[in-house]
Amino acid sequence: MPDKPTPPGSSAIVANDPWRKLRQYTSARIALGHAGTSLPTAPHLEFQLAHARARNAVHHVLDVANLREALMARGHEVIELHSAAANRPEYLQRPDKGRRLDAASRADLQSRTISSPAYDVAFVIGDGLSALAIEANAVAFLDVMVPALRDGGWRIAPVTIVGQARVAVGDEVGELLGAGIVVMLIGERPGLSSPDSLGIYMTYQPRTGLTDEARNCISNIRDQGLSFEMAAHKLLYLMTEARRRGLSGVNLKDEAEGLPSVTASVSKNFLTDA
Amino acid sequence: MPIFSQTIAGHVHRFKSLGDLLAKASPARSGDYLAGVAARDDEERVAAQMALADVPLHTFLNDHVVPYESDEVTRLIIDDHDAKAFAAVSHLTVGGFRDWLLSDAAVDKSLIALAPGLTPEMVAAVSKICRVQDLVLIAQKCRVVSKFRNTIGLKGRLSTRLQPNHPTDDPTGIAASIVDGLMYGNGDAVIGINPATDSISAVTTLIEMLNDIIQRYDIPTQSCVLTHVTTSIEAINRGAPVDLVFQSIAGTEAANKSFGITLAMLREGQEAALSLQRGTVGNNVMYFETGQGSALSANAHHGIDQQTLEARAYAVARKFKPLLVNTVVGFIGPEYLYDGRQIIRAGLEDHFCGKLLGLPMGCDICYTNHAEADQNDMDVLLTLLGVAGITFIMGIPGSDDIMLNYQTTSFHDALYARKVLGLKPAPEFEAWLQSSGIFAAGDALKMSDTLPQPFQRALAHLH
């Protein structure tokens, strides 16, 4: 939000906050000022606009053809699938349907020959609550992740794209593909400031009916959030550990950064560094 | 299992079990339709409410909506039930209990004494036959006080959780939001961060940081990093200065399993936090979050409606004497609470049930961008909960959580509620706000024009 000069005579009505320079360190809506103790008109209406735009993001439809083309250009085999939720309104009110494939998609995967030896990992791309997040981030993330896996000898399944997808549909896809690990790339719930945030969920030995405790999550992957490189680093760590220990979920902590001792850890911030 | 029925104009409405009766008596919401347990129309719903009103309260002690044998939450509810406390209302039906709660017999002292005698199913049942004004009036009579480094829940007080979340846990970004919140008088319930990842090293870094800030500025509040209870225990084992141990909880054993927890693990978390002896005015060391729909979301609802299961989560909470319990009412999405109307009703029900069960109940008055709700709905719920005596609400910069991608109450919103309802923050924190020069001396709502000296010094190093 740009600082606007305070019009003469209005300073007594709308008070600026004397910590405005902190705005450069976060995209949070800090130092908005106050009229009385309430939100001044300008930031109030900026919020209303952001909400209107986020509402639009929820209803944006994934450009599947474009995504498929980009993946194929990178040498991936691509399979298009759809959840049992027929459309957006049904998707929003029936998460159970978004967690399962529709009959045609299931039949498609069942008709394919299971790879031998089995795939080590299957990437599943789902629109989730923000197709914008997939369009902005999914291919770029795979561009970082996939070469690292190929270097490590991981056998990668065809990439699947699931329309009207919830996280758990990845488990059904992974199971039907016979993959050792499924990695679901999904559009997260749009925020006011982040309508395009990608989430990644990893499950070891995926199968229909697993719940959140069986998955590890890396969230907020986007331009102004977690970088593709850092997300790939975390995911590779989680996948390697999942395979080594034979599990995923709450019993598999993300300790990708190593284990510095508590006394050595320094929390750099201006409040305590001064 | 007994059959319940209600005859209206010659038509007999039958309900196959107590759980079925509770579900069909529940005010309409999308999650109960999703589960297939809701009444088919408004008339069946009212028939269920009439039948429910005639059910004696003691029925809930013998007829368990989730089986005792297979569910440790049911066993907790039944085994910990205080029959002596219950005696005051044991002769009443659900409908009679509503009348009693509205009457002058129910005052803060009698309600505190009664709490251990109530089960979640009893309070859920009575909430279903309450209108919004009943939920407000009765909850307002309840007074639940909890303590750690300050005193939460006193009459005439409204506390806030300062929630300085940042998408990458950047310390400077978090510190910027903390300054914003403190300068707006927020943060007495807790300064609580939802970390972007669950990694033990990232979590311990944040715990250290919050501890340093609270000590440096001598703030009478407590910190919490909202990570899994096992991660908090591990952090404590590594020597991290943990104030409050956090956990999301639900109302069935199976739903808790989907969160990766058991009652024994919560006990372990509480004992680990207590062992640090970091509280100065009290020893309530747990911070729980709940929300209608979590059990169904984990396919662990046993055919029971989401509001009854939510109340059962409070039985889990009260076992561990929490400092704070927060129902995150609109976070879960429109498949459970479809719009502003459903979110408002649910927030008031949760607060009512939590308070009757003796919990320091707060509410994350919130919505997501895929729900049919907006700021106006939140203003309505905030105002109603303020009148109902809510213990604490969230405070976040400009209502926008840039990490969790949802909207909750802002720092400004908290000041609005304090102003129109004449409320103040926790007394220790209020004194600090004035002594540190954040608010004008003698006026809890007059913000200073200048940054207090210690904060000015901290910002002076920045460009």
Side-chain angles (χ1 to χ4, degrees), chain B residues 161-415:
Chain B
R161 166 186 166 193
L162 200 171
Q163 184 170 313
N165 293 345
H166 188 277
T168 58
D169 295 337
D170 176 64
T172 304
I174 289 170
S177 288
I178 290 176
V179 168
D180 202 53
L182 292 175
M183 294 308 121
Y184 276 85
N186 281 237
D188 52 334
V190 63
I191 302 177
I193 302 174
N194 297 88
T197 58
D198 235 4
S199 100
I200 184 79
S201 58
V203 165
T204 48
T205 299
L206 292 175
I207 294 168
E208 284 282 339
M209 172 182 169
L210 292 179
N211 180 55
D212 290 348
I213 291 171
I214 287 172
Q215 288 202 347
R216 169 74 69 99
Y217 297 91
D218 203 16
I219 312 170
T221 189
Q222 37 281 330
S223 74
C224 186
V225 174
L226 283 72
T227 187
H228 196 269
V229 61
T230 54
T231 307
S232 293
I233 292 169
E234 178 63 19
I236 290 169
N237 289 340
R238 293 182 186 201
V242 172
D243 286 346
L244 304 183
V245 166
F246 168 81
Q247 184 57 46
S248 291
I249 55 170
T252 68
E253 180 177 336
N256 283 328
K257 180 167 176 282
S258 85
F259 290 147
I261 60 157
T262 60
L263 297 178
M265 290 163 76
L266 295 177
R267 168 67 66 203
E268 199 187 327
Q270 184 192 22
E271 285 170 356
L274 284 171
S275 75
L276 300 181
Q277 298 187 309
R278 294 177 56 80
T280 52
V281 301
N283 280 312
N284 301 111
V285 296
M286 301 301 282
Y287 174 16
F288 292 119
E289 286 190 352
T290 66
Q292 292 190 24
S294 58
L296 175 58
S297 165
N299 198 26
H301 62 292
H302 298 269
I304 304 303
D305 71 90
Q306 65 186 34
Q307 192 263 331
T308 300
L309 292 178
E310 170 71 7
R312 284 169 54 94
Y314 306 153
V316 175
R318 73 173 167 181
K319 180 69 179 171
F320 304 101
K321 301 181 170 50
L323 183 77
L324 306 163
V325 180
N326 177 22
T327 172
V328 190
V329 68
F331 188 76
I332 193 162
E335 61 271 33
Y336 302 94
L337 295 168
Y338 184 68
D339 56 14
R341 180 185 164 96
Q342 293 184 8
I343 291 171
I344 289 164
R345 167 91 201 177
L348 292 164
E349 290 166 346
D350 293 351
H351 176 251
F352 168 94
C353 290
K355 283 283 170 73
L356 278 182
L357 291 170
L359 289 173
M361 204 67 202
C363 182
D364 191 334
I365 298 164
C366 64
Y367 64 107
T368 61
N369 289 318
H370 62 316
E372 294 294 325
D374 62 19
Q375 293 296 91
N376 294 313
D377 297 307
M378 299 305 107
D379 289 343
V380 171
L381 181 53
L382 170 59
T383 307
L384 287 169
L385 282 172
V387 176
I390 185 94
T391 303
F392 69 103
I393 59 172
M394 306 307 107
I396 198 160
S399 290
D400 176 9
D401 190 313
I402 57 173
M403 147 66 189
L404 291 172
N405 293 339
Y406 78 121
Q407 286 87 251
T408 181
T409 43
S410 68
F411 301 138
H412 294 78
D413 290 340
L415 297 185

Side-chain angles (χ1 to χ4, degrees), chain A residues 180-199:
Chain A
I181 287 175
V182 73
V183 174
M184 180 89 194
L185 311 183
I186 193 160
E188 295 185 324
R189 208 178 250 192
L192 290 191
S193 311
S194 54
D196 60 350
S197 178
L198 177 73

Side-chain angles (χ1 to χ4, degrees), chain A residues 17 19 21 24 29 31 33-34 37 47 51 55 189-190 193-194 213 220 253-254 262 267-268 271-272 274, chain B residues 167 171 180 184 199 208 216-217 230-231 257 331-332 368-369 371-372 375 400 405 412 419 459 462-463:
Chain A
D17 294 325
W19 55 95
K21 67 178 172 184
Q24 63 187 302
R29 292 166 196 261
H34 48 100
T37 49
F47 180 100
H51 182 234
R55 295 280 295 150
R189 208 178 250 192
S193 311
S194 54
E213 62 178 341
N220 201 44
K253 298 280 183 216
D254 171 16
V262 167
S267 48
K268 281 270 178 208
L271 281 178
T272 52
Chain B
D180 202 53
Y184 276 85
S199 100
E208 284 282 339
R216 169 74 69 99
Y217 297 91
T230 54
T231 307
K257 180 167 176 282
F331 188 76
I332 193 162
T368 61
N369 289 318
E372 294 294 325
Q375 293 296 91
D400 176 9
N405 293 339
H412 294 78
K419 191 174 261 184
L459 266 67
L462 301 169
H463 299 290

